[in-house]
Amino acid sequence: MNDTLLKIKVDAKAVTKELLSIAKLSEGDILVIGCSSSEVAGKTIGTFSSVEVAQAVFAGIYEITEAEHIYLAAQCCEHLNRAIIVEKKVAKRERLAEVNVIPQPKAGGSFATTAYKNFKNPVAVEYICADAGIDIGDTLIGMHLKSVAVPVRLSLNAIGDAHVVCARTRAKFIGGERAVYDEALL
């Protein structure tokens, strides 16, 4: 791995580790990733799909999610309607209907393609309600987060040349001004 790809991997790992800590994710939670390898490489989204860049980003993220027993969900690009690649056991647990598609670098994106090739038993689903997310290159992951997403500011806001936006989710507040809330769910 050359120095540029190594830095991408290290930065992806750092972003993931910091988000998991701030978001207080625990075993079995779901982290959705949207990643434009084009943007990471300094190009316009959708114009320079790079498997090598995607592999570096994936390696950094997956190392952390596997160690923490967090499920990784990889968002496909708009050509596959932003479908999600997950492990089959996640789809079963979440009662998500599988769809029949195998992502490719130019139809699904290099990151989703890399996830599909590295997961033990990958499947595609149309949607997921993840507990937190990392958007690398402004890929618009919001549709795959639980209802109340909260922006998370990290010490690192880019991977390669791609802008990074992170979010965690929280339970909805209900009950109005007299309600009492559980601080642990904030």
Side-chain angles (χ1 to χ4, degrees):
M1 187 176 285
N2 69 35
D3 290 345
T4 301
L5 293 175
L6 183 58
K7 172 130 177 58
I8 289 168
K9 177 184 175 184
V10 167
D11 288 351
K13 185 176 178 179
V15 164
T16 305
K17 194 170 188 176
E18 187 175 0
L19 176 61
L20 294 188
S21 174
I22 291 169
K24 297 180 179 137
L25 294 187
S26 59
E27 185 173 330
D29 285 345
I30 299 169
L31 175 67
V32 65
I33 307 294
C35 176
S36 167
S37 61
S38 299
E39 291 279 333
V40 174
K43 308 293 183 188
T44 303
I45 194 169
T47 64
F48 188 78
S49 193
S50 169
V51 173
E52 294 79 16
V53 167
Q55 288 170 338
V57 174
F58 181 86
I61 293 169
Y62 200 54
E63 184 176 325
I64 299 299
T65 58
E66 283 291 283
E68 298 294 328
H69 305 286
I70 302 295
Y71 291 114
L72 183 58
Q75 178 181 267
C76 295
C77 73
E78 66 182 291
H79 295 99
L80 297 185
N81 299 322
R82 292 191 173 81
I84 295 288
I85 305 303
V86 293
E87 290 285 4
K88 187 176 189 94
K89 65 183 172 182
V90 173
K92 282 183 168 263
R93 184 189 82 179
E94 299 294 316
R95 300 177 57 95
L96 302 173
E98 293 178 35
V99 293
N100 187 0
V101 71
I102 298 172
Q104 304 299 309
K106 295 276 189 184
S110 290
F111 187 82
T113 300
T114 299
Y116 195 90
K117 289 180 178 178
N118 283 275
F119 285 170
K120 294 167 189 74
N121 195 4
V123 297
V125 298
E126 286 189 277
Y127 62 87
I128 201 159
C129 289
D131 301 289
I134 303 173
D135 186 325
I136 305 165
D138 303 320
T139 63
L140 304 175
I141 62 166
M143 66 191 285
H144 295 300
L145 292 169
K146 289 181 177 174
S147 294
V148 184
V150 179
V152 175
R153 305 284 183 243
L154 301 180
S155 57
L156 190 60
N157 64 3
I159 296 174
D161 288 334
H163 179 235
V164 172
V165 176
C166 296
R168 65 177 180 85
T169 61
R170 66 161 174 78
K172 292 179 182 180
F173 293 146
I174 62 168
E177 66 184 35
R178 292 182 289 175
V180 176
Y181 300 111
D182 183 344
E183 293 289 321
L185 296 177
L186 300 179

